[in-house]
Amino acid sequence: MFSTKGDAHKVFLRLRSTVQNGAAIKDMKEYQEIEEIQMLYKSLDSKTLQLIHYRMIKEYNGSGMIPILVSSAPWLLLLFSKQLSTYLFQEGKWLWAGFSIIYIIALAASVIIHFREKAWAAFHMEIIQDILKERKDDKEKSDS
């Protein structure tokens, strides 16, 4: 189903459909994957989990390389604009169209990859933070 409302709305629609069909939400593939990730992280000690969290922060912030490449590519093309225009727009050649299509596809793919990487890093960071907070709260309760 195509929706311009984004992934969060697609999740809602899948949830609603699952509930309306009488199926359990826990049987959905997406949520089984989340539980798998949680179980793995819960099996690790807090110190290791904290180190993984730091690595996820690096990944979250380091995925900014793609926008830098995307924004710098036009400047590079501008440097060679005379040579490019001479080569691409020669009489009867359609190279400019192929070049433009490939450039736009590469640009769109890199932006999609960038935001997916960032979303997955944020997803893992949130799970790790929840587990660490839960452990801290449990420790404080047992100390009291």
Side-chain angles (χ1 to χ4, degrees), residues 131-142:
I131 292 169
L132 290 172
K133 184 180 182 309
E134 183 180 305
R135 288 180 182 173
K136 182 180 176 186
D137 291 347
D138 289 346
K139 185 180 179 195
E140 287 174 358
K141 284 180 185 178
S142 66

Side-chain angles (χ1 to χ4, degrees), residues 87-141:
Y87 180 72
L88 293 175
F89 298 110
Q90 287 178 353
E91 284 183 42
K93 285 197 174 182
W94 282 85
L95 285 175
W96 64 270
F99 176 79
S100 299
I101 290 169
I102 290 171
Y103 181 74
I104 289 170
I105 289 171
L107 182 71
S110 64
V111 169
I112 289 168
I113 290 168
H114 164 72
F115 284 108
R116 286 201 179 270
E117 285 178 0
K118 227 173 158 108
W120 273 107
F123 171 77
H124 282 267
M125 287 169 43
E126 195 67 31
I127 290 174
I128 292 170
Q129 286 176 336
D130 287 348
I131 292 169
L132 290 172
K133 184 180 182 309
E134 183 180 305
R135 288 180 182 173
K136 182 180 176 186
D137 291 347
D138 289 346
K139 185 180 179 195
E140 287 174 358
K141 284 180 185 178

Side-chain angles (χ1 to χ4, degrees), residues 17-124:
S17 173
T18 300
V19 170
Q20 286 175 348
N21 292 336
I25 292 174
K26 288 194 175 252
D27 293 339
M28 292 177 66
K29 185 182 86 173
E30 296 95 340
Y31 296 99
Q32 289 173 349
E33 180 183 35
I34 294 169
E35 284 182 343
E36 232 178 88
I37 293 167
Q38 283 178 324
M39 287 176 61
L40 173 68
Y41 285 149
K42 284 181 179 181
S43 71
L44 302 173
D45 63 285
S46 295
K47 187 157 182 76
T48 303
L49 208 52
Q50 188 64 51
L51 293 173
I52 293 170
H53 184 256
Y54 294 147
R55 180 62 186 200
M56 291 296 171
I57 291 171
K58 181 203 172 288
E59 293 301 319
Y60 181 82
N61 292 323
S63 63
M65 295 305 294
I66 292 173
I68 290 171
L69 291 173
V70 167
S71 62
S72 63
W75 289 105
L76 181 63
L77 295 176
L78 186 63
L79 288 174
F80 300 106
S81 63
K82 184 174 182 180
Q83 294 91 336
L84 269 175
S85 63
T86 302
Y87 180 72
L88 293 175
F89 298 110
Q90 287 178 353
E91 284 183 42
K93 285 197 174 182
W94 282 85
L95 285 175
W96 64 270
F99 176 79
S100 299
I101 290 169
I102 290 171
Y103 181 74
I104 289 170
I105 289 171
L107 182 71
S110 64
V111 169
I112 289 168
I113 290 168
H114 164 72
F115 284 108
R116 286 201 179 270
E117 285 178 0
K118 227 173 158 108
W120 273 107
F123 171 77
H124 282 267

